[in-house]
Amino acid sequence: QVQLQESGPGLVKPSETLSLTCTVSGGSISSYYWSWIRQPPGKGLEWIGFIYHSGSTNHNPSLKSRVTISIDTSKNQFSLKLSSVTAADTAVYYCARAEPRSDAFDIWGQGTMVTVSS
Amino acid sequence: QSALTQPASVSGSPGQSITISCTGTSSDVGSYNLVSWYQQHPGKAPKLMIYGVTKRPSGVSNRFSGSKSGNTASLTISGLQAEDEGAYHCCSYVGGSTYVVFGGGTKLTVL
């Protein structure tokens, strides 16, 4: 079955760029929306953005200018870069798959905690 | 785009039924039959329980059901079990650059 795994630094300094990668195993990276979603400690979920296998992207307008999402289909990976981070970006970051017809996130990675602190 | 509104907490005894509401607007919940619900246990990733307002993914118990009326979607859990305890998040398609919006989450306690 398809599994997702996030990887990347757990600590990022303020004003620097947060970089995470999600590796897709057990299936193809085609035909789905591959998303990043985050959850600040004790709070709800926030959609960050997604990328389609073609490379087309969409980002949450509240974060758009700081977000870059890319995909490497040869490695079955997609990545997130979030620039100019502040303490407000401290959260568990999840990668997830959405089926375009249902727009529901049916498969999630385990999540990775990223703390923004000097 | 504002988050969907959910009650902070609900509780029920084993065997009872509970309902969690998720209120949006005519621009999200009210416009699309694309509401999904997620169960999240502490320290774990969310799990899809309902999609398309009423549909259950394979493997999800039929004790979980979804509905919608106007701008409010609801998740009902019947025959409450201890393992149902956790947080529940609703999500609605919005379209355009916003794509989806989540609710703030509801903590379910099984007494």
Side-chain angles (χ1 to χ4, degrees):
Chain A
Q1 70 280 21
V2 176
Q3 293 183 315
L4 308 182
Q5 178 68 58
E6 305 89 350
S7 59
L11 181 64
V12 181
K13 290 182 169 55
S15 79
E16 295 190 345
T17 296
L18 177 161
S19 297
L20 296 174
T21 295
C22 182
T23 300
V24 180
S25 59
S28 172
I29 204 165
S30 300
S31 305
Y32 292 94
Y33 293 141
W34 301 96
S35 276
W36 289 98
I37 296 165
R38 69 181 182 179
Q39 184 174 34
K43 296 188 178 181
L45 300 166
E46 179 183 30
W47 175 74
I48 298 170
F50 72 64
I51 189 164
Y52 196 51
H53 68 92
S54 62
S56 63
T57 60
N58 200 357
H59 308 135
N60 190 321
S62 67
L63 301 169
K64 187 171 184 177
S65 62
R66 299 195 291 133
V67 171
T68 302
I69 298 178
S70 59
I71 194 167
D72 186 336
T73 54
S74 67
K75 294 182 178 179
N76 255 24
Q77 294 178 332
F78 61 104
S79 299
L80 168 71
K81 291 188 186 300
L82 182 65
S83 64
S84 304
V85 297
T86 69
D89 295 309
T90 293
V92 175
Y93 284 76
Y94 296 99
C95 56
R97 185 184 85 169
E99 207 282 330
R101 288 172 297 178
S102 69
D103 295 302
F105 302 100
D106 62 343
I107 298 177
W108 295 65
Q110 65 184 26
T112 186
M113 179 69 199
V114 178
T115 300
V116 178
S117 175
S118 55
Chain B
Q1 183 70 36
S2 300
L4 306 176
T5 300
Q6 298 181 237
S9 63
V10 298
S11 62
S13 300
Q16 288 186 331
S17 294
I18 63 95
T19 297
I20 299 172
S21 62
C22 171
T23 301
T25 69
S26 57
S27 297
D28 39 61
V29 175
S31 286
Y32 307 98
N33 289 323
L34 292 170
V35 175
S36 50
W37 289 90
Y38 303 86
Q39 176 192 64
Q40 186 178 31
H41 291 130
K44 300 295 186 182
K47 174 188 175 183
L48 178 64
M49 305 302 284
I50 296 287
Y51 68 97
V53 178
T54 61
K55 302 178 179 67
R56 277 188 311 275
S58 174
V60 172
S61 170
N62 59 10
R63 297 186 298 106
F64 292 83
S65 62
S67 62
K68 190 184 86 167
S69 178
N71 297 337
T72 298
S74 299
L75 173 71
T76 297
I77 309 173
S78 59
L80 267 181
Q81 300 179 0
E83 67 203 49
D84 299 331
E85 191 164 282
Y88 290 82
H89 306 270
C90 64
C91 179
S92 176
Y93 177 80
V94 178
S97 59
T98 303
Y99 183 49
V100 295
V101 62
F102 285 95
T106 298
K107 181 179 180 181
L108 168 63
T109 301
V110 180
L111 302 170

